[in-house]
Amino acid sequence: MRALLCRTLGDAGSLKIEEIEDPLPGPGEVVVDVHASGLNFPDTLIIAGKYQLRPELPFVPGGEAAGVISAIGEGVGDWREGDRVILSGAFGAFAEKAAKKAEDIIALPDSMDFTTGAGFLATYGTSYYALKQRAQLKAGETLLVLGAAGGVGLAAVDIGAALGARVIAAASSDEKLDLACRAGAVERVNYTNEDLKERVKALTDGRGADVVYDPVGGDLSEQALRATGWDGRFLVIGFAAGTIPKIPLNLCLLKNNSIVGVFYGAWLARDPNAHAANVAELFALFEEGKLVPRVTQVFALEDYIDAFATLTGRGAMGKVIFKIRD
C-alpha cells in the first residue's frame, strides 16, 4: 500500500510517499481501507517532534480518517467487514490502509460521507468538549472565537451557534470572516486592521465576551483576555501563531476570569464514556442539520507539501482533507 512516511523529524519536506506492506490486524484490532484523512495542526507538530506524543521512527502521520473495515483481528466482536467507520489516534491515517484498536474507531453515520467524516472528530470533538465541559457555555452568552475560519475555530463557531450563543468571529481576513459568518457568527472582527479588544468591547456594549476560544496564541491572547467580561472563561486550545503567550495574571483577578486548558486527546482517554456521549450528541446535531461541517480544501496524498503549507501558513479555511481513494 501507499503511505506517507516520516523517517526523519522535521517539516513536510522530510516526509515521503512509499510503498509498504499492508497492515494485518492483531488481537483486538481492525484494518480500515482509508478513503479520506483529515490534516490537523497537531500533525505538523508530531512530524517535527514538538508534540506531547512522540511515536518511534519511522511512522505514518495522521490522526483521523474515514473508511471501510476490510479485516478483523481475533477478539473483535462488535465490528464486521464492510462497516463504515471513523478512526482516530495520534498517527497512522495518511495511508491507504490503517490498523487500529477496536476502541479507536466509531461508526460513521450513513448520512455522512467519507470526506466529511475524515475531518469531523478532531475539530468538532475538541470544540464541543471545550465549549460544553470546559467553558460550560450557555445559550445567550457571547462567544469570541479566534482563528474563526480554521479547522477547530470554524467548528467552534458552528457549535456555539447551535448551542444558542452569540458568536463573534475573529480572523485575519474578510474572506475568512465571510466563511465564519456563513457558519453562524453574527459579528466579526478583522484583527489585521482592527483592535481586537476595543472592537469586542464595542460589540458587547462594554461588557466583554463571556467565553473566548483561542487556538491561535501569540499576541492575540492577551488582547482577547482583556476583552472578556466578568466571570469570563478563556479557553486555551493551541498556539497556531507559534508563540506561547505570557499572560499577566492580574487580568484574571480584576474580572474574576478563568483561564481553562483544553487537552482533548488526554481527556477522551481518561473519560471514554463522556467522550462517547459527546460524539453521540454531535452526530445528533449533525443529523438535525444544526451542524454543517465545511470541507473547503481537498488534496491528493501526493500534494502533501502543499496541504501542510496551507495549514502552517495559516491559509486554511475550514477543514483540510487528503483524498486517499474514491
Side-chain angles (χ1 to χ4, degrees), residues 214-232:
D214 181 14
V216 180
D219 294 337
L220 290 173
S221 295
E222 184 175 331
Q223 296 178 47
L225 183 60
R226 290 179 182 273
T228 57
W230 182 258
D231 276 343

Side-chain angles (χ1 to χ4, degrees), residues 31-95:
V31 171
V32 177
D33 287 350
V34 176
H35 284 246
S37 303
L39 177 60
N40 297 289
F41 187 71
D43 295 322
T44 69
L45 301 178
I46 289 173
I47 65 172
K50 297 179 180 180
Y51 197 63
Q52 295 94 331
L53 300 174
R54 298 189 179 187
E56 293 184 7
L57 295 169
F59 67 93
V60 176
E64 63 175 345
V68 176
I69 293 177
S70 59
I72 296 176
E74 181 182 352
V76 177
D78 296 333
W79 298 101
R80 298 290 182 270
E81 292 182 14
D83 285 347
R84 301 168 75 250
V85 297
I86 294 173
L87 61 88
S88 61
F91 51 92
F94 297 161

